Amino acid sequence: MSACDMEELAASKNRFQRISKPLHELKPSYDVIVIGSGYGGGVAASRLSRAGKSVCMLERGKEILPGDYPATLPKALDQLQIDSVEGKVGSSTGLYNLHMGRDQFVMVGCGLGGTSLINANVSLEATEDVFQNDNWPEKFRDNSSTLLKEAYVRARDMLKPNVYPDSYPPLAKFDAHKKSAESMGQEENFKKTPINVTFETPASGVNHVGVPQVACNNCGDCCSGCNVGAKNTTLMNYLPDAFNHGTDIFCEIHVEYIEKTEGDKWLVHYTLAHTGQEKFKAPTMTITADIVMLAAGTIGSNEIMLRTKEKGLSTSDMVGRRFSGNGDILGFGYNCDDKINGIGYGIHDPKGLEPVGPCITSVIDMRHEPDNMVIEEGSVPGCIGKPFAGLMATANRLIGENTEGGLQDVAQKIFRQTFFRPPYQGAANHTQTYLIMSHDDGRGVLKLKNNRLDIDWPGVGKQENFYTGNENMKKCTAALKGNYVKNPMWTKIVGKDVISVHPLGGCCMATNATNGVVDHKGRVFSGKTGENVHKGLYICDGSIIPTSLAVNPLLTITACAERACVLLAEDYGLKIDYTLPSATKRPHYVPKVGIEFTETMRGEVSDVRSSSKLDIQFTLTVRSDDLDTMLNTPEHKAHMNGTVTCPVIDPQPLSVVNGEFQLFVQVPSPPNTRHMVYAMPMYTKSGKAYYLYGYKTVQDHPNLLRIWHDTSTLDVKIYEGDSTKGREAYKGTMHIRLTDFAKQMTTMRVLNAKNEKERLMALAKFGINFAGVLWNSYGGIFAPRDVYDPNLPPRKKRPLAKCVPVPELHYFNTKDQVTLRLTRYQSGKKGPVMLVHGLGVSSEIFSTDLVDVNMVEYLCANKYDVWLLDFRVSILLPAADQQSTGDQVAEYDYPAAVAKIREVTKAPSVQAVVHCWGAATFFMSLLRGLEGIRSVVASQVATHAVMKLVTNVKSGLRLPKLLSAVGFKYLTTYVDTNEGLAGRIVDKGLAVYAMAEAQGQCNSPVCHRITFNYASLYRHAQLDQRLHENLHELFAEANITAFEHLAMICRKGQLVSADGKDVYMPHIENLNLPIMFISGHQNECYLPESTKKTYDMLVNTFGQELYKRVELDNYGHIDCIFGTQAHKDVFPDIVKRLDETALVSTESG
């Protein structure tokens, strides 16, 4: 991205203000609660707040402002969450939410604005014949030409759709789609699509609801989230309008179900995202309202309604039924003769790139034709451009259909695919993306399984519309002389699975409960039959649409919600003021660095009128939205939300809303005493209020053993009413269990940190202030450690040196059918040289970006054709999950790898640089007759193993065999922030072991585990700090069988088979070739005598001419490979030796 664009992006971040509020401002009760913030939720909040109601909106995702949407692949992957009946992968607040059913997949958005954040924002009305379908209630059909038409007008007034302007640059994908329409005889049905995009910056700089917007820049990244602020999502119109009129908006709140109270109010049960409350199995929290507008999107609303029905609410048995994917069909015209420019810019500098345009700008509208569908072109977000190009190339090879078979055309396709770099050149840049909306049979079923939503729709992809749609997309592609690639999911192999981005139905409107879930007003039916409804419970999103629409549904969903609000207002005697423009005088929340943790305490309280003791327990999330203020003011205030379970007060949990926590408040007496204060209003389901006031007493005391007691004991009093002014009803004492405290420490989370440094600084500030001696001293196991946090975005990697070419991946199978991988960097014609890694690592030890110059970069700079082998123990391969011996590696892996390299390069022989277990097994292979090897550089070990005493003890005790016998299949070095208490205790013990092994003192459990599994593998002084902090990227699991074989070799002192037989050393005649041995002088794993023994044996047998040995001062074991100075101290010797036997490759081209 250019400097200019970076400045524009930074400016866009500063233009926009948040409309969501901090959690502590949530009230216990509102007139209206709106669940969800997409089109239906946005309409409901805007209109009902305009009608004068107090409105609260609950959104499960985050508020993401323009400028903060993912623009790179790692950031996009970090925002991906995948749901299935088996569980969830990814963050529960990830922007891109994929739901995996057995035949139907669904992609929706998760964030403030719902799916509007990531859709193409096409605003087309459904045709009149759709609304005359009998699936719609008669009362809806009767006024579709009046009330619904008025609702469509209101929707457009807010969403502001526009067609792509003639004054804007022409778009290649638009022109190509027009060409397709003409070829199909559909030129009259080809038109521009109205899209909710701003093409002219407002004169005042703000839009009709006071939000800054700018004109579209044609970047094409609409569906990964608009970072410009030109896309008219609900975050640009309905939601700020609701905020302007008083709606309180809260994010990262997950609604579980809805309950009706005895007083005809509604209780919304919810949990807080990422707080760790689920670790304590805490009850749900609740807030109440007179009216609930359920608008969590088709998937979300169905899940909530299914759970609500399961919890006992009387309603229709049609919940979850008549689900539709809107007949969505995806396909691609790959490698067309016409340039498409269909990949968004992402972070790339648009200079030199042609305009992509908004995601969808044109449609072939065939809804009045027998096929009854629309065909739209689209763009692919730039953040996934490269993987998209690779996926398309692979899919084309497997399922692509050539629509124009001439030899010249085929030659052009091969040329584009071979000689241009994707995604902005070549085949990918000539790929048209198609999306069809049609009519499916709407017979999908949504149900709960393991308390998770399951999409059940056997054979959905075998309906006629999917075949017709694919034929039409193939015709579109033929006009462009491309290869048609159907959705790879929609194949016989996969089972004709389909994906929808427009889920509809499941809570369908109908005339009665026998046929649907809501009536024409969106009111939920109160029984299994009949027309009676629950007063105050509405659904107003895509889930109520009773049929597929064969067009983008957003405008119809919005209009149906507008219609429902008009009817609700009539029923409640409300008046909605639709006046525009709107603005606000309300202050906007400005996030600051804060901190959050969740705590569970248990104990007993007694009624002050009697001596009987009763159980009490709470789970509270303590949250400070401004850490500096909390720590630096005398009150040290934070806020609390959660639940209290105390059956003597109420059989059901009480909800804590906006409680107050004070950290170490100085009290006047006794001297040197501080209190940790807990003060919180609690509400029963019926709305009755109680107030809990408690404190922990922390005093200066010479006995450090009191620290735990003081900080884990809470004296409490409970009052009737919402303050301490009420009658004191109960008092008692609560405690933290050690196991709960361990869980509590894992819930500690820094809020709103801009980067990792700021996060760690905030955590350190809080740790010092909160726990003092406890934090740094208690048991040692809770002290700060250098541990990988899997919840953080992937770190940004540096690009390899310019001399390193784009790698080629070569997968191949061994004779025993294990899939291995070779990665080729062809920088020159010297070699080819194969690099082989050790045990519990991968080939990335040679190519890691965590050193300034790695071995691949050094060899490429010296014009070598470099091949990295990942053999069966590589942590990058699925094969690493299997048990294996060195014998298998020697017999199968190296012969297959060498054969593959020779086949590709046409070289008669290969050079090899081999390390550790890779070296030992490679010499096994040489001794058993491996052919095609020209020379070898062996790092640390070859045919003999001389070990340190502690390693010999572990081998002599047969530790790997013992671990295998008790069920260990692998030894792993991996550890992250999710590690439990037991693991921390183990890591503390291993830290002591690592010190004894001269590893040097550090706080990395990964480092300590490496030492335990192998020995001290490196000198800390030789490692770059970046590498030490990211050892988890390079080391992981190693199978126990390999360790057993290694232990056998250690005990024998030389290469033997896994069962201890001397099958290798009798064949040393096979080592009569140039070999150089490298050993670190401080190698604590294989002592330097290991390579010296092999060197002496070969020199005594064959003479000195072929052999050389180097012993490196101040180096250990693997730091010879990735030490920070290895490119100066080690690699020159390796290259000098390789140059002596280098052979220019004979590979053509």
Side-chain angles (χ1 to χ4, degrees), residues 46-53 154 245 565-579:
S46 165
R47 296 339 189 184
L48 295 182
S49 60
R50 279 175 172 266
K53 290 294 184 180
R154 289 197 181 99
H245 289 88
C565 287
V566 168
L567 297 173
L568 182 152
E570 290 178 0
D571 289 344
Y572 281 83
L574 305 175
K575 183 179 180 181
I576 302 173
D577 180 1
Y578 293 100
T579 303

Side-chain angles (χ1 to χ4, degrees), residues 8-9 12 15-16 65-71 219 221 225-230:
E8 183 178 333
L9 187 60
S12 74
R15 279 198 302 266
F16 300 97
L65 300 181
D68 288 328
Y69 293 98
C219 70
D221 290 323
C226 178
N227 275 319
V228 178

Side-chain angles (χ1 to χ4, degrees), residues 109 293 347 439 549 576 588 822 843 857 888 897 964 1023 1116:
M293 307 292 287
I347 60 168
H439 285 293
L549 300 176
I576 302 173
H588 292 267
L822 282 161
S843 65
E857 291 172 314
Q888 293 169 299
S964 177
L1023 297 192

Side-chain angles (χ1 to χ4, degrees), residues 413-428:
K413 285 179 168 54
I414 294 173
F415 181 79
R416 280 194 297 268
Q417 192 167 345
T418 306
F419 294 100
F420 292 94
R421 296 183 65 181
Y424 301 111
Q425 298 176 352

Side-chain angles (χ1 to χ4, degrees), residues 141-204:
R141 284 180 272 145
D142 287 348
N143 58 28
S144 65
S145 62
T146 55
L147 193 55
L148 184 64
K149 288 297 180 184
E150 292 171 4
Y152 269 128
V153 171
R154 289 197 181 99
R156 280 190 285 265
D157 283 345
M158 289 297 287
L159 297 173
K160 303 294 184 187
N162 301 285
V163 297
Y164 187 77
D166 292 336
S167 59
Y168 261 51
L171 303 177
K173 66 187 180 76
F174 176 95
D175 294 340
H177 203 41
K178 183 177 182 180
K179 184 176 180 181
S180 294
E182 293 169 349
S183 174
M184 297 170 67
Q186 295 288 334
E187 55 268 26
E188 291 186 2
N189 289 327
F190 178 81
K191 60 188 75 172
K192 290 183 177 181
T193 51
I195 49 180
N196 303 335
V197 175
T198 297
F199 291 105
E200 184 176 347
T201 301
S204 64

Side-chain angles (χ1 to χ4, degrees), residues 259 262 267 269 283 286 605 614-617 644-655 682-690 718 730:
E259 181 183 359
E262 293 179 1
L267 207 60
H269 290 255
T286 57
V605 293
L614 303 157
D615 290 340
I616 184 172
Q617 175 179 333
V644 176
T645 302
C646 188
V648 67
I649 297 177
D650 194 283
Q652 300 298 318
L654 291 80
S655 288
M682 311 180 295
Y683 300 91
T684 66
K685 279 187 178 183
S686 63
K688 186 175 181 180
Y690 289 87
I718 298 175
Y730 308 94

Side-chain angles (χ1 to χ4, degrees), residues 52 191 293 477 517 603 635 869 897 899 902 1047 1091:
K191 60 188 75 172
M293 307 292 287
T477 303
V517 179
E635 296 85 4
L869 172 63
R902 293 171 70 187
T1091 56

Side-chain angles (χ1 to χ4, degrees), residues 669-718:
S669 178
N672 300 319
T673 300
R674 292 176 181 266
H675 283 172
M676 277 194 280
V677 177
Y678 294 67
M680 51 198 188
M682 311 180 295
Y683 300 91
T684 66
K685 279 187 178 183
S686 63
K688 186 175 181 180
Y690 289 87
Y691 195 85
L692 184 150
Y693 182 87
Y695 56 86
K696 300 173 183 176
T697 302
V698 180
Q699 295 176 301
D700 287 353
H701 201 284
N703 184 1
L704 292 179
L705 297 178
R706 285 187 59 97
I707 292 175
W708 173 249
H709 174 271
D710 289 351
T711 56
S712 64
T713 302
L714 180 72
D715 295 315
V716 300
K717 292 182 180 180
I718 298 175

